[in-house]
Amino acid sequence: MSVPPESVIPPPPPSEPPMASGPSAEERQWAMFAHLSALVGLLIPFGSIIGPLVIWLIKKDTMPFVNDQGKEALNFNITMGIAAIVCSMLMLILIGFLLLPVLVILWLVFVIIGTIKANEGTAYRYPFTLRLVS
C-alpha cells in the first residue's frame, strides 16, 4: 500500500540561528563610563586619558563592546591631548588663543555624543582621531 505524495507532510524548515543581540546592559554602561571618564580631565591633569585607560584595562578582556569603545575613547583623548599641546604652542603666534577654546568645545561635544551612543549600544567612532591604541 503506497501513500500518495500529496498526503506526505513536508519536514519543518530548519530553525534559524538566534539573532545576535547587541551588547548587554552592563556592557553598555561600562562603555558609557569609558567615554564619560574623560571628563575627569576637567579636574585632574591627564585625567581625560587616565579615565578611559583604566576602564579599558579593567574590562577589555571580559567585555568586547567595552574593549572597542574604551580604545576609541582613549584614542580620541590622546588625539585631543596632542591637539591641545599644538594649540598651546600656537599661542606664541596668537592663533592658539582662538583654536584652544574651539578644541575644548569640540572635545566636550564629541565626548557627550560618544557617551549617548555607547549607552544606546552603538559603536561610536570619533572623527579626526588617530588610532594609536589598537
Side-chain angles (χ1 to χ4, degrees):
M1 180 164 143
S2 73
V3 178
E6 295 85 30
S7 65
V8 175
I9 299 173
S15 62
E16 295 180 14
M19 294 288 291
S21 63
S24 68
E26 185 180 7
E27 281 184 298
R28 288 183 290 141
Q29 185 177 23
W30 278 104
M32 181 182 73
F33 291 153
H35 291 284
L36 269 181
S37 64
L39 298 178
V40 172
L42 295 173
L43 303 173
I44 300 170
F46 302 106
S48 62
I49 295 172
I50 295 170
L53 177 64
V54 168
I55 291 177
W56 176 64
L57 288 174
I58 291 172
K59 296 294 182 179
K60 71 178 181 174
D61 296 326
T62 58
M63 298 181 174
F65 185 64
V66 180
N67 180 31
D68 176 59
Q69 291 302 290
K71 283 191 289 190
E72 189 66 21
L74 182 59
N75 283 327
F76 176 71
N77 285 291
I78 290 171
T79 303
M80 290 295 107
I82 293 168
I85 291 169
V86 170
C87 286
S88 298
M89 287 184 213
L90 288 174
M91 285 183 177
L92 294 173
I93 56 172
L94 302 179
I95 193 158
F97 289 105
L98 298 173
L99 292 177
L100 193 58
V102 171
L103 182 69
V104 170
I105 291 169
L106 287 176
W107 171 76
L108 187 60
V109 167
F110 286 133
V111 166
I112 291 170
I113 291 171
T115 301
I116 292 169
K117 292 293 184 181
N119 191 38
E120 293 172 353
T122 305
Y124 182 68
R125 294 288 172 251
Y126 287 102
F128 316 114
T129 300
L130 301 172
R131 310 278 183 233
L132 301 172
V133 179
S134 57

